[in-house]
Amino acid sequence: MDTISVKLARQAVSVGRQVKIQGWIRTRRDSKGGFSFLEVNDGSSLGNLQVIADGNLANYESEVKKLAAG
Protein backbone atom coordinates (compact mmCIF):
# COMPACT_ATOMS: atom_id res chain seq x y z
CA MET A 1 0.00 0.00 0.00
CA ASP A 2 1.37 3.40 -0.97
CA THR A 3 1.89 6.17 1.60
CA ILE A 4 0.79 9.52 0.19
CA SER A 5 0.53 13.08 1.47
CA VAL A 6 -2.72 14.77 2.47
CA LYS A 7 -2.20 17.14 -0.46
CA LEU A 8 -2.14 14.24 -2.95
CA ALA A 9 -5.02 12.45 -1.18
CA ARG A 10 -7.20 15.54 -1.69
CA GLN A 11 -6.73 15.39 -5.48
CA ALA A 12 -9.11 13.60 -7.86
CA VAL A 13 -6.44 11.07 -8.94
CA SER A 14 -6.55 9.55 -5.44
CA VAL A 15 -10.29 8.85 -5.35
CA GLY A 16 -11.00 5.15 -4.91
CA ARG A 17 -7.40 4.20 -4.06
CA GLN A 18 -6.47 2.35 -0.89
CA VAL A 19 -3.56 4.30 0.59
CA LYS A 20 -1.80 5.02 3.87
CA ILE A 21 -1.92 8.56 5.30
CA GLN A 22 0.42 9.76 8.02
CA GLY A 23 -0.15 12.98 9.89
CA TRP A 24 -1.67 14.65 12.92
CA ILE A 25 -5.24 14.42 14.13
CA ARG A 26 -6.81 17.88 14.10
CA THR A 27 -10.23 16.79 15.37
CA ARG A 28 -12.21 13.64 16.11
CA ARG A 29 -16.00 13.56 16.13
CA ASP A 30 -17.83 10.41 17.16
CA SER A 31 -21.16 9.49 15.60
CA LYS A 32 -24.09 7.78 17.27
CA GLY A 33 -23.97 5.42 14.28
CA GLY A 34 -20.82 3.74 15.60
CA PHE A 35 -18.09 5.48 13.59
CA SER A 36 -15.81 8.50 13.92
CA PHE A 37 -14.83 11.37 11.65
CA LEU A 38 -11.13 12.17 11.84
CA GLU A 39 -9.59 15.34 10.39
CA VAL A 40 -5.96 14.58 9.46
CA ASN A 41 -3.22 16.95 8.29
CA ASP A 42 0.48 16.44 7.57
CA GLY A 43 1.49 20.01 6.72
CA SER A 44 1.51 19.43 2.94
CA SER A 45 -1.80 21.26 2.46
CA LEU A 46 -3.77 23.99 4.20
CA GLY A 47 -6.81 21.73 3.97
CA ASN A 48 -7.40 18.66 6.09
CA LEU A 49 -8.39 15.19 4.98
CA GLN A 50 -11.56 13.80 6.51
CA VAL A 51 -11.29 10.10 7.31
CA ILE A 52 -14.19 7.92 8.43
CA ALA A 53 -13.12 5.29 10.96
CA ASP A 54 -15.64 2.44 11.03
CA GLY A 55 -16.65 1.13 14.43
CA ASN A 56 -15.95 -2.42 13.20
CA LEU A 57 -12.19 -1.78 13.08
CA ALA A 58 -10.28 -4.10 15.41
CA ASN A 59 -8.66 -1.12 17.18
CA TYR A 60 -11.69 1.18 17.19
CA GLU A 61 -12.47 1.09 20.92
CA SER A 62 -8.87 0.67 22.10
CA GLU A 63 -7.21 3.29 19.88
CA VAL A 64 -9.47 5.32 17.56
CA LYS A 65 -11.86 6.42 20.34
CA LYS A 66 -8.86 7.64 22.36
CA LEU A 67 -7.31 9.80 19.62
CA ALA A 68 -6.96 13.47 20.45
CA ALA A 69 -5.64 16.53 18.63
CA GLY A 70 -1.96 16.28 17.85
Side-chain angles (χ1 to χ4, degrees), residues 12-69:
V13 297
S14 298
V15 173
R17 290 181 57 200
Q18 185 172 359
V19 297
K20 181 178 178 181
I21 300 295
Q22 296 178 322
W24 298 272
I25 300 295
R26 302 291 296 234
T27 63
R28 186 195 86 235
R29 296 182 315 278
D30 300 323
S31 167
K32 293 178 185 176
F35 57 91
S36 296
F37 294 103
L38 307 171
E39 293 280 337
V40 181
N41 197 302
D42 63 359
S44 64
S45 172
L46 291 177
N48 298 326
L49 182 68
Q50 184 172 31
V51 177
I52 300 173
D54 192 321
N56 295 324
L57 290 169
N59 65 343
Y60 185 75
E61 290 294 327
S62 64
E63 294 180 37
V64 174
K65 294 275 295 219
K66 295 178 182 178
L67 291 173

